[in-house]
């Protein structure tokens, strides 16, 4: 199967290449987090397990997306949008779980976890409806994009100024304080790549206003995913390892 994909991939198919690398990198990261779990204090084990789940789930979807791309995408017949959204709908709420687990020591309540999970699911379901509605005639739905952005803004607010930020600030651990701040940057900068990509699609604001196209949207999404999933997991790992006594 592997050789089949390689022989199918054109040497200049750099997007296909990032699906391929993405698959390997996510799988490697998942194995890494699982093994390192044994080296951190008990209270951090769940955080590392969640990091492993995020990258492991992504690896499985990258396997599918890589094959889908080899079959249809490289010839211009479309992006693996469905797999992409299934992946995000599972992994982004898990990133919200990470914020909860990190601030739990400082008193985070279950309600925080649910608010973040609901906001992220809302963001992705609206985004998917917006993408699925683009049938080539009406372009990408601006309305659903705006609705989706409300969920994004809510998460952004919570991690920068709201409950997560306040809890992290109140935490006795410097590692948690600094780590949560770093993760908030991921949400602000790393996550922003996705709505920008959405707005570059036919009918999107950047597409109509500036003429930006979405030819490379999969490339950007693949790069963003690697940063946001593996990088995010490494920040969590760093918090765990620096504040473990072992
Ligand atoms: C690993 C995957 C991650 C972190 C994915 C994050 C995805 C988003 C932040 C998507 C956001 C969107 C909007 C804010 C509006 C337009 C539709 C989306 C779904 C692309």
């Amino acid at each position: 199967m592997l050789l089949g994909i390689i022989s199918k991939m054109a040497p200049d198919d750099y997007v296909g290449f990032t699906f391929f690398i993405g698959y390997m990198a996510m799988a490697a990261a998942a194995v890494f987090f699982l093994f390192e779990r044994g080296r951190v204090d008990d209270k951090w084990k769940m955080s590392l397990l969640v990091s492993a789940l995020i990258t492991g789930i992504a690896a499985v979807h990258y396997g599918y997306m890589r094959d889908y791309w080899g079959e249809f995408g490289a010839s211009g017949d479309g992006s693996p949008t469905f797999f992409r959204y299934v992946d995000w709908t599972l992994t982004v709420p898990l990133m919200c779980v990470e914020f909860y687990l990190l601030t739990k020591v400082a008193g985070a309540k279950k309600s925080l976890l649910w608010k973040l999970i609901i906001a992220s699911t809302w963001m992705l379901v609206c985004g998917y409806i917006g993408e699925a509605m683009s049938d080539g005639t009406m372009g990408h739905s601006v309305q659903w994009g705006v609705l989706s952005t409300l969920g994004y803004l809510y998460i952004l607010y919570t991690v920068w100024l709201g409950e997560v930020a306040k809890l992290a600030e109140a935490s006795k651990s410097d590692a948690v304080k600094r780590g949560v701040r770093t993760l908030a940057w991921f949400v602000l900068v790393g996550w922003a790549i996705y709505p920008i990509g959405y707005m570059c699609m036919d009918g999107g604001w950047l597409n109509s206003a500036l003429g930006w196209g979405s030819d490379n949207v999969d490339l950007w999404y693949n790069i963003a995913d690697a940063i946001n999933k593996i990088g995010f997991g490494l920040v969590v790992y760093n918090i765990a390892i620096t504040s473990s006594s072992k």
Side-chain angles (χ1 to χ4, degrees):
M1 193 179 96
L2 199 63
L3 288 174
I5 293 294
I6 292 178
S7 63
K8 231 189 272 173
M9 192 155 69
D12 61 348
D13 179 9
Y14 51 91
V15 181
F17 187 66
T18 58
F19 277 115
F20 194 81
I21 294 288
Y23 176 49
M24 299 292 181
M26 296 288 183
V31 172
F32 174 79
F33 294 132
L34 271 186
F35 271 92
E36 287 298 298
R37 225 181 133 247
R39 291 183 51 214
V40 300
D41 284 355
D42 281 354
K43 64 173 183 209
W44 296 117
K45 287 205 188 319
M46 184 67 105
S47 303
L48 285 205
L49 178 63
V50 175
S51 292
L53 284 175
I54 292 170
T55 44
I57 290 170
V60 173
H61 288 89
Y62 265 81
Y64 282 109
M65 293 199 288
R66 180 201 61 188
D67 290 359
Y68 186 101
W69 180 265
E71 203 69 46
F72 310 105
S75 52
D77 279 344
S79 301
T81 307
F82 177 73
F83 292 124
R84 179 85 75 195
Y85 273 83
V86 176
D87 173 37
W88 290 352
T89 310
L90 296 167
T91 53
V92 179
L94 283 173
M95 293 182 186
C96 295
V97 174
E98 297 275 36
F99 278 114
Y100 167 72
L101 291 173
L102 291 173
T103 48
K104 207 169 95 175
V105 268
K109 293 197 210 67
K110 274 270 160 57
S111 61
L112 170 67
L113 174 64
W114 287 114
K115 283 184 272 187
L116 288 174
I117 288 181
I118 291 169
S120 56
T121 310
W122 166 269
M123 171 179 89
L124 296 166
V125 169
C126 291
Y128 184 70
I129 296 173
E131 292 227 22
M133 277 169 67
S134 71
D135 54 3
T137 50
M138 63 185 298
H140 276 69
S141 166
V142 172
Q143 295 90 311
W144 286 102
V146 170
L147 287 175
S148 166
T149 303
L150 295 178
Y152 178 45
L153 291 177
Y154 179 81
I155 300 172
L156 209 49
Y157 172 80
T158 310
V159 300
W160 273 97
L161 304 162
E163 247 175 290
V164 169
K166 285 181 196 143
L167 286 165
E169 214 40 56
S171 141
K172 282 187 218 68
S173 152
D174 259 352
V176 169
K177 252 182 237 175
R178 264 183 288 120
V180 168
R181 192 33 76 96
T182 309
L183 293 178
W185 276 106
F186 277 82
V187 177
L188 180 66
V189 180
W191 291 23
I193 295 170
Y194 306 99
I196 291 173
Y198 185 95
M199 289 188 284
C200 288
M201 292 174 192
D202 289 346
W205 283 342
L206 291 174
N207 182 269
S208 358
L210 303 174
W212 289 12
S214 60
D215 288 353
N216 287 324
V217 80
D218 279 296
L219 180 67
W220 289 106
Y221 280 3
N222 290 354
I223 295 171
D225 274 1
I227 297 169
N228 290 322
K229 294 186 165 68
I230 302 172
F232 195 98
L234 285 172
V235 173
V236 174
Y237 169 68
N238 193 47
I239 298 173
I241 207 90
T242 52
S243 48
S244 283
S245 47
K246 283 184 211 168

